[in-house]
Amino acid sequence: WTTYSVANKKHSEKIDVKDLEIKIPISLFSNRNLSTLEVIVNFLLSNLNFKLSEISKLLSRDPRTIWTVAKRIKEKNVKKGV
């Protein structure tokens, strides 16, 4: 119970999608090396400094999915030399 209540306090903030206005430049999607989800996650991580947990809530995706996508982005950037 203690672990649950501590975790619940850490993640108690809720993201209200209706109040957010996020504009992603369409030109980012021309990068054919990244999937659509990877482009969105990369933009939210690098430009808007979102946490992975916030991105998962915003996109209604499992946090593990977002973590995997972020890991793939890093791997692709390393291979590309960025």
Side-chain angles (χ1 to χ4, degrees):
W1 174 255
T2 303
T3 304
Y4 170 77
S5 63
V6 169
N8 201 18
K9 287 178 186 175
K10 283 184 182 178
H11 300 290
S12 63
E13 75 274 354
K14 305 232 183 224
I15 296 176
D16 190 6
V17 179
K18 295 175 187 172
D19 293 338
L20 290 177
E21 185 176 321
I22 299 172
K23 295 182 181 181
I24 301 174
I26 195 79
S27 61
L28 295 178
F29 294 96
S30 65
N31 181 358
R32 305 295 281 166
N33 296 327
L34 298 177
S35 70
T36 303
L37 184 58
E38 289 171 343
V39 169
I40 294 168
V41 170
N42 189 38
F43 179 79
L44 294 174
L45 282 172
S46 59
N47 294 50
L48 302 179
N49 299 322
F50 273 66
K51 297 178 185 176
L52 294 177
S53 60
E54 294 171 333
I55 295 172
S56 69
K57 290 176 188 175
L58 182 66
L59 299 178
S60 299
R61 299 285 182 139
D62 190 279
R64 293 171 292 190
T65 302
I66 302 303
W67 180 85
T68 302
V69 169
K71 184 179 173 195
R72 284 186 191 151
I73 293 167
K74 285 182 183 179
E75 290 171 355
K76 288 180 180 182
N77 284 339
V78 167
K79 285 181 184 178
K80 200 167 79 170
V82 174

